[in-house]
Amino acid sequence: MADQSRQQQLTRKLHDQDQDQWQLLAPSSSVAGQTGKFLTAGAAGITLLMLSGLTLTGTVMALIMATPVLVLFSPVLVPAAIVLFLTAAGLVFSGGCGMAAILAFSWMYKNVSSYVAAKKRGNPYGQFAQIGL
């Protein structure tokens, strides 16, 4: 019986400590606090909704105004865009080829220098199989 009452006391004590910790972590949820949160979130949401509507309106108006200019200059703009794309693609391709060449040369240098070093050490069956070159 004493063990059971002691166990109940320990359980109550742990439960009370748990409640205290949760009360420290969770802010008080009063009606005024909830109303403030709701009003703040509503104002922020309405503001962002208005800004997105203004952005969409501005984008559509700019597209409407730019369409005649794009149609008039399309014989110049389309070939220019093609030339720019091909130039950029060529630069990327040449950079990739240069990088591959640098990697290949560095691999060959490491391979040859390790081979020569192994041969200089006089270790005929070292790291590499020796072929009569």
Side-chain angles (χ1 to χ4, degrees), residues 104-123 126-128 130 133:
F105 280 128
S106 73
W107 177 81
M108 286 193 307
Y109 174 75
K110 287 178 186 176
N111 192 13
V112 168
S113 64
S114 296
Y115 179 76
V116 170
K119 200 168 188 178
K120 280 184 181 177
R121 284 192 302 264
N123 189 357
Q127 188 178 0
F128 302 100
Q130 306 257 335
L133 292 177

Side-chain angles (χ1 to χ4, degrees), residues 1-119:
M1 185 78 169
D3 285 339
Q4 197 173 24
S5 67
R6 182 182 166 127
Q7 193 175 24
Q8 287 176 349
Q9 287 176 350
L10 286 174
T11 306
R12 276 192 216 122
K13 190 174 186 180
L14 288 174
H15 181 69
D16 290 342
Q17 286 177 354
D18 244 6
Q19 288 289 343
D20 292 341
Q21 287 176 357
W22 279 110
Q23 284 176 355
L24 288 175
L25 291 176
S28 63
S29 57
S30 64
V31 175
Q34 288 180 349
T35 306
K37 289 178 188 177
F38 176 76
L39 291 176
T40 303
I46 289 172
T47 302
L48 291 175
L49 188 62
M50 287 175 52
L51 285 175
S52 67
L54 286 173
T55 304
L56 179 65
T57 304
T59 303
V60 169
M61 287 177 66
L63 186 61
I64 289 171
M65 293 171 69
T67 300
V69 175
L70 290 174
V71 169
L72 286 174
F73 289 113
S74 64
V76 175
L77 293 177
V78 171
I82 291 171
V83 167
L84 286 175
F85 173 75
L86 291 176
T87 304
L91 287 172
V92 169
F93 180 73
S94 66
C97 287
M99 200 62 143
I102 289 171
L103 288 173
F105 280 128
S106 73
W107 177 81
M108 286 193 307
Y109 174 75
K110 287 178 186 176
N111 192 13
V112 168
S113 64
S114 296
Y115 179 76
V116 170
K119 200 168 188 178

